[in-house]
Amino acid sequence: MSFVRRAATVLAATTALTAGLALPALAHVTIQPGTAEAGGFTKVAFRVPNERDDASTTEVEVSFPADHPLAFVSVKPVPGWKVKVTEGKLPAPVKTEYGELKEAVTKVVWSGGKIAPGEFQEFEVSMGQLPKGVDSLMFPTKQTYSGGEVVDWSDAPKTDGTEAEHPAPLLKLVPAADATASTPATTAPAAAAAPTMSPVAGAASASAESSDGTARLLGGAGLVVGVIGVVVGFLGLRRRPSA
């Protein structure tokens, strides 16, 4: 019985460690899907989970890249939330196939709603034309809680491959063939409609599910199952009668 108790303790500790490794990654503010076709238009959702047990998320502020401004940005209404789209003049006009771009969306703020503990919300945006010759676009995001706390998700990816403490939502840009193969949810039909879209009007539809969080959970579950197998094996050896 002493061995059984020790085995159970080890199993519980391993399970807690696995959860500790998996859950923080799921709590990050992310952009879904995480890849899009360079040079085209796409529809994404900023997925915002609530990390606190004693406070609700009441405001989400997403900053758009100023070094690679987007000519067309439209948002989908979210029931219970107000949205404010801020445009600003660019330091210098940017040439696009639709003419010179002198102003662009710099920030989108959703407020007035509530993401309760244990819940998440998705804020959908249609945007383009995505730049070519760029690997990714960062969208620094500020998450405000009902208690006044503000979490700034603005850390750039680390060069050593490890994850930053507060990583900014990152949209990776890939060639057309790669984007079509890896992210079928990217909205190719939107490219045809984009030239008639006003920068602050329009709506997007539902976003694709994240595979990153699922992979982390499956990996953690595999580790727990492995530990259970080891415990069962030890118990079988202890109970086997000696020759």
Side-chain angles (χ1 to χ4, degrees):
M1 291 302 295
S2 176
F3 175 79
V4 172
R5 285 196 297 269
R6 287 197 297 271
T9 301
V10 171
L11 178 59
T14 304
T15 303
L17 177 61
T18 302
L21 292 174
L23 292 180
L26 297 179
H28 295 165
V29 176
T30 57
I31 189 169
Q32 305 295 332
T35 57
E37 177 184 332
F41 292 77
T42 191
K43 174 189 60 187
V44 299
F46 292 95
R47 181 174 297 171
V48 183
N50 192 81
E51 290 188 304
R52 302 294 179 259
D53 295 329
D54 56 352
S56 298
T57 297
T58 56
E59 183 176 288
V60 176
E61 175 184 312
V62 178
S63 295
F64 280 65
D67 51 348
H68 298 289
L70 302 174
F72 301 94
V73 176
S74 57
V75 298
K76 182 177 181 180
V78 181
W81 292 79
K82 297 179 293 183
V83 60
K84 180 180 180 182
V85 180
T86 301
E87 296 185 32
K89 289 186 177 181
L90 300 177
V94 177
K95 291 184 178 181
T96 72
E97 61 181 275
Y98 307 111
E100 280 194 344
L101 185 64
K102 298 181 179 180
E103 292 187 353
V105 171
T106 58
K107 183 170 58 177
V108 179
V109 179
W110 289 269
S111 61
K114 182 176 72 172
I115 308 174
E119 298 179 353
F120 74 94
Q121 181 61 269
E122 291 185 335
F123 303 92
E124 296 178 341
V125 176
S126 177
M127 59 188 182
Q129 186 179 14
L130 300 175
K132 296 180 180 179
V134 179
D135 293 335
S136 61
L137 295 176
M138 279 180 52
F139 295 83
T141 300
K142 292 182 179 179
Q143 181 179 10
T144 301
Y145 286 92
S146 55
E149 179 189 8
V150 178
V151 179
D152 191 359
W153 302 96
S154 60
D155 293 345
K158 292 186 177 182
T159 56
D160 60 2
T162 59
E163 193 170 55
E165 183 178 1
H166 294 97
L170 190 71
L171 180 65
K172 295 182 180 179
L173 302 181
V174 297
D178 293 345
T180 302
S182 61
T183 56
T186 302
T187 53
T196 61
M197 190 192 311
S198 66
V200 190
S205 60
S207 65
E209 288 297 325
S210 168
S211 61
D212 179 65
T214 302
R216 291 175 182 272
L217 285 178
L218 289 176
L223 180 60
V224 173
V225 171
V227 173
I228 293 175
V230 172
V231 173
V232 172
F234 271 113
L235 290 174
L237 288 175
R238 289 181 58 84
R239 293 176 179 179
R240 182 180 298 174
S242 57

